[in-house]
Amino acid sequence: MLIAEFTLSTPVLRDALAAAPEVTADLERTVEGDTTRIEFFARGDDLTRFEDALGNDDSVEDVRVLGEGPDFRFYRATLAPETTQRTASHVFADTGARPVSASGDHTGWDFRVQFPDREALATYRDSCRERNVSFTLHALYERADPRADADEFGLAGDQGTV
């Protein structure tokens, strides 16, 4: 299994994050279909400024707050069609890749993704380039099968001990 850590200059939430540089967005889920929906947490000191800017961010439509706490808000948004065309998220499924984490701020989006092999990573990188999305690789490492030492519930070592 190949783990890649990289930064993308994707347009997703770019304007809202630029307007509130102290806010970070943590992608929780992406749902592909006729439209692409994202669910994400926003955290930071100026969530009001972020939310105001989110209403004017052309990368998303139909933004809804699903929950909130003292230092976060949880949103669901539909990506605008032009934004969907510029993202390469569908390539994850096409290559067998699995996103592990994604976090964005005013400087870009940092991803950690499992790829089945280097060819799948190269396919993803090429797809980003075709969409004029910069792709900067920071780390690449191989990891043994994480389930090799796991029990039937996916727990390894003393994780199953209460």
Side-chain angles (χ1 to χ4, degrees):
M1 170 182 336
L2 193 65
I3 306 291
E5 295 175 358
F6 53 89
T7 299
L8 298 178
S9 66
T10 176
V12 177
L13 304 177
R14 180 182 294 154
D15 294 341
L17 290 167
E22 61 286 339
V23 171
T24 59
D26 295 313
L27 188 62
E28 195 64 23
R29 185 174 143 184
T30 301
V31 179
E32 304 273 344
D34 292 341
T35 60
T36 301
R37 286 193 338 247
I38 59 172
E39 293 177 356
F40 62 95
F41 284 94
R43 294 181 171 85
D45 292 333
D46 201 349
L47 292 173
T48 301
R49 178 186 287 165
F50 173 77
E51 191 161 317
D52 289 345
L54 194 55
N56 296 317
D57 191 314
D58 291 336
S59 71
V60 289
E61 304 170 340
D62 190 29
V63 179
R64 296 179 186 195
V65 177
L66 300 179
E68 61 185 291
D71 61 347
F72 75 90
R73 290 195 185 129
F74 185 57
Y75 296 93
R76 177 186 301 141
T78 301
L79 294 184
E82 305 80 37
T83 303
T84 301
Q85 292 172 0
R86 294 230 20 236
T87 66
S89 61
H90 70 281
V91 179
F92 288 143
D94 295 346
T95 61
R98 186 180 72 79
V100 176
S101 65
S103 180
D105 64 18
H106 68 283
T107 63
W109 282 86
D110 294 319
F111 285 82
R112 187 170 194 219
V113 177
Q114 287 180 325
F115 288 93
D117 51 39
R118 288 178 184 267
E119 183 178 328
L121 173 60
T123 298
Y124 182 78
R125 182 205 58 220
D126 293 346
S127 183
C128 288
R129 287 182 178 161
E130 290 168 9
R131 290 167 172 76
N132 291 322
V133 173
S134 70
F135 175 99
T136 305
L137 184 65
H138 300 291
L140 183 63
Y141 50 96
E142 299 230 15
R143 190 165 128 191
D145 182 1
R147 298 195 50 92
D149 296 328
D151 67 12
E152 64 183 299
F153 301 106
L155 301 175
D158 62 359
Q159 290 178 321
T161 306
V162 177

